Amino acid sequence: MLCADQSGGEVHEMYCMSQTKPTDAEACNTHACEFLWITGEWTECSVTCGQGYQRRLVSCSEVHAGQDNYEYGHQSSSHCPGTPPENYQECDAGPCPSRETWRMGIWGLCSVTCGEGWMERTVQCVTSEGEASNRCPMSARPEARKACGNPSCHLPTSCREAQGMTGFPVDGEQILNIQGRALKIYCAGMQTDHPGEYITLMTGEAENFSEVFGFRLNDPTECPSNLSRREDCNCRRDYTAAGLSTFTKVRLDLSKMQIITTDWQFASTREGRHVPFATGGDCYSAARCPQGRFSINLSGTGFHVAEQTKWISHGNYAVADIHKSQDGSRVTGMCGGYCGKCTPSTSSGLLVRVT
């Protein structure tokens, strides 16, 4: 603020002392400041198909009213009213095209612990959603089976060979190479020139027995009590071929992979006569009412009864009701006639295979 003469030139303030000096400042913009949330444009979806997300810029800015538009000043998120707008949202870019691919499982164990064998894994064609499909190119199918082995292992293949490798040990369990598998075999007679191989029956005598039933109906044309066994029947107990034998080990002929059913070294005859392994019979009835029984359980031994093993009936009115488990480890039979029995076929014998 200046003191001026009539021509407008600046003079000393003493010439203006008789006049009231005008104010040189006054208040302006006395209304409260306004802050608003400002949002930017959403970005494109983060994926080209399926579920994704989008982002945008969100800020709190001071707003000034200009002549034709709004101007934005400094930012301060603490001054904006309410909850800030979302800066993130999900988006759907539409269904993805289905793509088939081969899915592989892990390799299983080698089929042998000694020598050359094979291992397998699952190979499945699936869509991108994990559903089974048959549209994968077969030319790109991964292998589901491959060779494996342990050429460095040298296990004996018989008790005789084990005897030669270790001198003359006592009878007992030995690990032998049976058809490429390392299996536990009981070697008996190791102090002799001809030791024998035996399979130790892990389930014991309760599930490894053979019986020829000793009771005979007074009227052999009947089949009383719906095939059930009752000793208070109208019968007599005088069948001289009857017997019950149980087994803890059975002799194995390695050259034929056949169980020798008439080896009694590890068998006990509880009553009557010796009954060979896998044999049952009776002289009970002529009306298809078998009472003789046998049971084989090779579970845990590494062996199973071969599919080629068949049972045949012998004698008068003989029948054989044979049941095998799916894996061949168990076989049970009800056999008999008047008089009759069942045994493994003489053409094949009781063949076993490595599991």
PDB file of all heavy atoms in Angstrom, residues 33 58-59 61 75 83 102 105 127 162 164-165 176 220 237 240 261 283 299 303 329 337-338 343:
ATOM      1  N   CYS A  33     -13.219 -26.930   3.122  1.00  0.00           N
ATOM      2  CA  CYS A  33     -12.651 -27.688   1.987  1.00  0.00           C
ATOM      3  C   CYS A  33     -13.447 -28.976   1.761  1.00  0.00           C
ATOM      4  O   CYS A  33     -13.933 -29.601   2.699  1.00  0.00           O
ATOM      5  CB  CYS A  33     -11.196 -28.037   2.265  1.00  0.00           C
ATOM      6  SG  CYS A  33     -10.117 -26.598   2.335  1.00  0.00           S
ATOM      7  N   VAL A  58      -7.524 -45.928  -6.614  1.00  0.00           N
ATOM      8  CA  VAL A  58      -8.501 -45.243  -5.763  1.00  0.00           C
ATOM      9  C   VAL A  58      -7.734 -44.263  -4.885  1.00  0.00           C
ATOM     10  O   VAL A  58      -6.779 -44.656  -4.187  1.00  0.00           O
ATOM     11  CB  VAL A  58      -9.294 -46.252  -4.895  1.00  0.00           C
ATOM     12  CG1 VAL A  58     -10.208 -45.489  -3.922  1.00  0.00           C
ATOM     13  CG2 VAL A  58     -10.115 -47.174  -5.774  1.00  0.00           C
ATOM     14  N   SER A  59      -8.103 -42.933  -4.914  1.00  0.00           N
ATOM     15  CA  SER A  59      -7.415 -41.940  -4.094  1.00  0.00           C
ATOM     16  C   SER A  59      -8.417 -40.925  -3.560  1.00  0.00           C
ATOM     17  O   SER A  59      -9.513 -40.748  -4.098  1.00  0.00           O
ATOM     18  CB  SER A  59      -6.325 -41.220  -4.902  1.00  0.00           C
ATOM     19  OG  SER A  59      -6.911 -40.499  -5.981  1.00  0.00           O
ATOM     20  N   SER A  61      -8.971 -36.960  -2.852  1.00  0.00           N
ATOM     21  CA  SER A  61      -8.397 -35.678  -3.281  1.00  0.00           C
ATOM     22  C   SER A  61      -9.302 -34.507  -2.888  1.00  0.00           C
ATOM     23  O   SER A  61     -10.539 -34.632  -2.799  1.00  0.00           O
ATOM     24  CB  SER A  61      -8.199 -35.657  -4.804  1.00  0.00           C
ATOM     25  OG  SER A  61      -7.250 -36.622  -5.177  1.00  0.00           O
ATOM     26  N   GLN A  75      -3.820 -34.675  -1.851  1.00  0.00           N
ATOM     27  CA  GLN A  75      -4.508 -35.896  -1.471  1.00  0.00           C
ATOM     28  C   GLN A  75      -4.330 -36.146   0.009  1.00  0.00           C
ATOM     29  O   GLN A  75      -3.266 -35.941   0.571  1.00  0.00           O
ATOM     30  CB  GLN A  75      -3.982 -37.093  -2.269  1.00  0.00           C
ATOM     31  CG  GLN A  75      -4.222 -36.951  -3.769  1.00  0.00           C
ATOM     32  CD  GLN A  75      -3.706 -38.150  -4.536  1.00  0.00           C
ATOM     33  OE1 GLN A  75      -3.033 -39.003  -3.972  1.00  0.00           O
ATOM     34  NE2 GLN A  75      -4.018 -38.207  -5.818  1.00  0.00           N
ATOM     35  N   THR A  83     -16.504 -45.251   3.419  1.00  0.00           N
ATOM     36  CA  THR A  83     -15.562 -46.328   3.089  1.00  0.00           C
ATOM     37  C   THR A  83     -15.030 -46.136   1.678  1.00  0.00           C
ATOM     38  O   THR A  83     -15.804 -45.818   0.763  1.00  0.00           O
ATOM     39  CB  THR A  83     -16.261 -47.702   3.185  1.00  0.00           C
ATOM     40  OG1 THR A  83     -16.811 -47.848   4.497  1.00  0.00           O
ATOM     41  CG2 THR A  83     -15.282 -48.835   2.902  1.00  0.00           C
ATOM     42  N   TRP A 102      -2.160 -86.172 -20.816  1.00  0.00           N
ATOM     43  CA  TRP A 102      -1.882 -87.443 -20.144  1.00  0.00           C
ATOM     44  C   TRP A 102      -1.452 -87.178 -18.709  1.00  0.00           C
ATOM     45  O   TRP A 102      -0.570 -86.363 -18.466  1.00  0.00           O
ATOM     46  CB  TRP A 102      -0.779 -88.211 -20.877  1.00  0.00           C
ATOM     47  CG  TRP A 102      -1.189 -88.727 -22.231  1.00  0.00           C
ATOM     48  CD1 TRP A 102      -0.799 -88.249 -23.432  1.00  0.00           C
ATOM     49  CD2 TRP A 102      -2.061 -89.819 -22.492  1.00  0.00           C
ATOM     50  NE1 TRP A 102      -1.372 -88.968 -24.453  1.00  0.00           N
ATOM     51  CE2 TRP A 102      -2.158 -89.953 -23.904  1.00  0.00           C
ATOM     52  CE3 TRP A 102      -2.782 -90.698 -21.690  1.00  0.00           C
ATOM     53  CZ2 TRP A 102      -2.930 -90.930 -24.505  1.00  0.00           C
ATOM     54  CZ3 TRP A 102      -3.558 -91.679 -22.294  1.00  0.00           C
ATOM     55  CH2 TRP A 102      -3.633 -91.786 -23.682  1.00  0.00           C
ATOM     56  N   GLY A 105       0.683 -91.567 -12.881  1.00  0.00           N
ATOM     57  CA  GLY A 105       0.870 -91.862 -11.472  1.00  0.00           C
ATOM     58  C   GLY A 105       2.336 -92.147 -11.192  1.00  0.00           C
ATOM     59  O   GLY A 105       3.196 -92.081 -12.083  1.00  0.00           O
ATOM     60  N   THR A 127      -9.135 -84.196 -18.986  1.00  0.00           N
ATOM     61  CA  THR A 127      -9.334 -82.826 -19.454  1.00  0.00           C
ATOM     62  C   THR A 127      -8.700 -81.856 -18.462  1.00  0.00           C
ATOM     63  O   THR A 127      -8.230 -82.254 -17.398  1.00  0.00           O
ATOM     64  CB  THR A 127     -10.833 -82.514 -19.585  1.00  0.00           C
ATOM     65  OG1 THR A 127     -11.419 -82.535 -18.275  1.00  0.00           O
ATOM     66  CG2 THR A 127     -11.533 -83.532 -20.464  1.00  0.00           C
ATOM     67  N   ALA A 162      21.804-122.989  -1.070  1.00  0.00           N
ATOM     68  CA  ALA A 162      22.051-122.261   0.171  1.00  0.00           C
ATOM     69  C   ALA A 162      22.989-123.037   1.082  1.00  0.00           C
ATOM     70  O   ALA A 162      23.848-122.464   1.759  1.00  0.00           O
ATOM     71  CB  ALA A 162      20.727-121.992   0.882  1.00  0.00           C
ATOM     72  N   GLY A 164      25.366-125.027   0.100  1.00  0.00           N
ATOM     73  CA  GLY A 164      26.715-124.909  -0.436  1.00  0.00           C
ATOM     74  C   GLY A 164      27.330-123.540  -0.196  1.00  0.00           C
ATOM     75  O   GLY A 164      28.550-123.412  -0.078  1.00  0.00           O
ATOM     76  N   MET A 165      26.504-122.490  -0.121  1.00  0.00           N
ATOM     77  CA  MET A 165      27.017-121.139   0.075  1.00  0.00           C
ATOM     78  C   MET A 165      27.368-120.872   1.534  1.00  0.00           C
ATOM     79  O   MET A 165      28.235-120.054   1.831  1.00  0.00           O
ATOM     80  CB  MET A 165      25.976-120.110  -0.399  1.00  0.00           C
ATOM     81  CG  MET A 165      25.735-120.117  -1.897  1.00  0.00           C
ATOM     82  SD  MET A 165      24.347-119.048  -2.389  1.00  0.00           S
ATOM     83  CE  MET A 165      24.959-117.434  -1.905  1.00  0.00           C
ATOM     84  N   LEU A 176      15.373-117.273  -0.564  1.00  0.00           N
ATOM     85  CA  LEU A 176      15.740-117.865  -1.849  1.00  0.00           C
ATOM     86  C   LEU A 176      15.178-117.018  -2.988  1.00  0.00           C
ATOM     87  O   LEU A 176      14.161-116.332  -2.827  1.00  0.00           O
ATOM     88  CB  LEU A 176      15.193-119.292  -1.961  1.00  0.00           C
ATOM     89  CG  LEU A 176      15.602-120.312  -0.892  1.00  0.00           C
ATOM     90  CD1 LEU A 176      15.063-121.684  -1.262  1.00  0.00           C
ATOM     91  CD2 LEU A 176      17.109-120.353  -0.706  1.00  0.00           C
ATOM     92  N   PRO A 220     -28.572-143.709   3.298  1.00  0.00           N
ATOM     93  CA  PRO A 220     -27.694-142.891   2.442  1.00  0.00           C
ATOM     94  C   PRO A 220     -28.435-142.112   1.364  1.00  0.00           C
ATOM     95  O   PRO A 220     -27.817-141.336   0.637  1.00  0.00           O
ATOM     96  CB  PRO A 220     -26.746-143.917   1.830  1.00  0.00           C
ATOM     97  CG  PRO A 220     -27.514-145.182   1.828  1.00  0.00           C
ATOM     98  CD  PRO A 220     -28.366-145.163   3.061  1.00  0.00           C
ATOM     99  N   ARG A 237     -20.630-143.949  13.187  1.00  0.00           N
ATOM    100  CA  ARG A 237     -19.281-143.457  12.949  1.00  0.00           C
ATOM    101  C   ARG A 237     -18.354-144.661  12.765  1.00  0.00           C
ATOM    102  O   ARG A 237     -17.672-145.099  13.683  1.00  0.00           O
ATOM    103  CB  ARG A 237     -18.815-142.589  14.118  1.00  0.00           C
ATOM    104  CG  ARG A 237     -17.531-141.845  13.862  1.00  0.00           C
ATOM    105  CD  ARG A 237     -17.239-140.875  14.991  1.00  0.00           C
ATOM    106  NE  ARG A 237     -16.101-140.021  14.693  1.00  0.00           N
ATOM    107  CZ  ARG A 237     -15.698-139.012  15.466  1.00  0.00           C
ATOM    108  NH1 ARG A 237     -16.352-138.759  16.604  1.00  0.00           N
ATOM    109  NH2 ARG A 237     -14.667-138.278  15.126  1.00  0.00           N
ATOM    110  N   THR A 240     -13.806-146.297   7.933  1.00  0.00           N
ATOM    111  CA  THR A 240     -12.411-146.612   8.292  1.00  0.00           C
ATOM    112  C   THR A 240     -11.395-145.708   7.603  1.00  0.00           C
ATOM    113  O   THR A 240     -10.249-145.623   8.042  1.00  0.00           O
ATOM    114  CB  THR A 240     -12.108-148.075   7.945  1.00  0.00           C
ATOM    115  OG1 THR A 240     -12.355-148.301   6.542  1.00  0.00           O
ATOM    116  CG2 THR A 240     -12.977-149.019   8.769  1.00  0.00           C
ATOM    117  N   THR A 261       1.508-133.041  -1.695  1.00  0.00           N
ATOM    118  CA  THR A 261       0.411-133.092  -0.716  1.00  0.00           C
ATOM    119  C   THR A 261       0.552-134.227   0.296  1.00  0.00           C
ATOM    120  O   THR A 261      -0.150-134.229   1.309  1.00  0.00           O
ATOM    121  CB  THR A 261      -0.929-133.231  -1.445  1.00  0.00           C
ATOM    122  OG1 THR A 261      -0.935-134.460  -2.207  1.00  0.00           O
ATOM    123  CG2 THR A 261      -1.168-132.039  -2.379  1.00  0.00           C
ATOM    124  N   CYS A 283     -18.126-140.793   3.503  1.00  0.00           N
ATOM    125  CA  CYS A 283     -18.980-141.894   3.050  1.00  0.00           C
ATOM    126  C   CYS A 283     -20.349-141.669   3.694  1.00  0.00           C
ATOM    127  O   CYS A 283     -20.946-142.574   4.267  1.00  0.00           O
ATOM    128  CB  CYS A 283     -18.384-143.239   3.458  1.00  0.00           C
ATOM    129  SG  CYS A 283     -19.003-144.623   2.471  1.00  0.00           S
ATOM    130  N   SER A 299      -1.918-117.029   2.318  1.00  0.00           N
ATOM    131  CA  SER A 299      -1.719-115.587   2.542  1.00  0.00           C
ATOM    132  C   SER A 299      -0.412-115.327   3.276  1.00  0.00           C
ATOM    133  O   SER A 299      -0.088-116.003   4.248  1.00  0.00           O
ATOM    134  CB  SER A 299      -2.879-115.025   3.369  1.00  0.00           C
ATOM    135  OG  SER A 299      -4.106-115.198   2.697  1.00  0.00           O
ATOM    136  N   PHE A 303       3.079-116.910  -2.322  1.00  0.00           N
ATOM    137  CA  PHE A 303       2.591-117.866  -3.314  1.00  0.00           C
ATOM    138  C   PHE A 303       1.067-117.820  -3.370  1.00  0.00           C
ATOM    139  O   PHE A 303       0.404-117.381  -2.427  1.00  0.00           O
ATOM    140  CB  PHE A 303       3.026-119.294  -2.967  1.00  0.00           C
ATOM    141  CG  PHE A 303       4.507-119.527  -2.992  1.00  0.00           C
ATOM    142  CD1 PHE A 303       5.267-119.368  -1.834  1.00  0.00           C
ATOM    143  CD2 PHE A 303       5.153-119.910  -4.153  1.00  0.00           C
ATOM    144  CE1 PHE A 303       6.629-119.586  -1.845  1.00  0.00           C
ATOM    145  CE2 PHE A 303       6.517-120.123  -4.174  1.00  0.00           C
ATOM    146  CZ  PHE A 303       7.263-119.957  -3.020  1.00  0.00           C
ATOM    147  N   SER A 329      -5.063-116.974  -3.185  1.00  0.00           N
ATOM    148  CA  SER A 329      -4.337-117.324  -1.967  1.00  0.00           C
ATOM    149  C   SER A 329      -5.117-118.298  -1.087  1.00  0.00           C
ATOM    150  O   SER A 329      -4.530-118.988  -0.252  1.00  0.00           O
ATOM    151  CB  SER A 329      -4.013-116.055  -1.167  1.00  0.00           C
ATOM    152  OG  SER A 329      -5.207-115.426  -0.728  1.00  0.00           O
ATOM    153  N   GLY A 337     -19.264-138.240  -0.930  1.00  0.00           N
ATOM    154  CA  GLY A 337     -20.164-139.094  -1.693  1.00  0.00           C
ATOM    155  C   GLY A 337     -20.527-140.302  -0.868  1.00  0.00           C
ATOM    156  O   GLY A 337     -20.576-140.250   0.358  1.00  0.00           O
ATOM    157  N   TYR A 338     -20.702-141.433  -1.569  1.00  0.00           N
ATOM    158  CA  TYR A 338     -21.014-142.660  -0.824  1.00  0.00           C
ATOM    159  C   TYR A 338     -20.333-143.844  -1.505  1.00  0.00           C
ATOM    160  O   TYR A 338     -21.015-144.642  -2.185  1.00  0.00           O
ATOM    161  CB  TYR A 338     -22.534-142.882  -0.760  1.00  0.00           C
ATOM    162  CG  TYR A 338     -22.933-143.861   0.318  1.00  0.00           C
ATOM    163  CD1 TYR A 338     -22.972-143.458   1.632  1.00  0.00           C
ATOM    164  CD2 TYR A 338     -23.237-145.186   0.008  1.00  0.00           C
ATOM    165  CE1 TYR A 338     -23.341-144.340   2.633  1.00  0.00           C
ATOM    166  CE2 TYR A 338     -23.599-146.081   1.007  1.00  0.00           C
ATOM    167  CZ  TYR A 338     -23.655-145.658   2.311  1.00  0.00           C
ATOM    168  OH  TYR A 338     -24.007-146.542   3.304  1.00  0.00           O
ATOM    169  N   THR A 343      -9.627-134.507  -4.871  1.00  0.00           N
ATOM    170  CA  THR A 343      -8.192-134.263  -4.772  1.00  0.00           C
ATOM    171  C   THR A 343      -7.773-133.379  -5.945  1.00  0.00           C
ATOM    172  O   THR A 343      -8.485-133.297  -6.954  1.00  0.00           O
ATOM    173  CB  THR A 343      -7.389-135.574  -4.843  1.00  0.00           C
ATOM    174  OG1 THR A 343      -7.575-136.171  -6.135  1.00  0.00           O
ATOM    175  CG2 THR A 343      -7.833-136.551  -3.757  1.00  0.00           C
TER     176      THR A 343
END
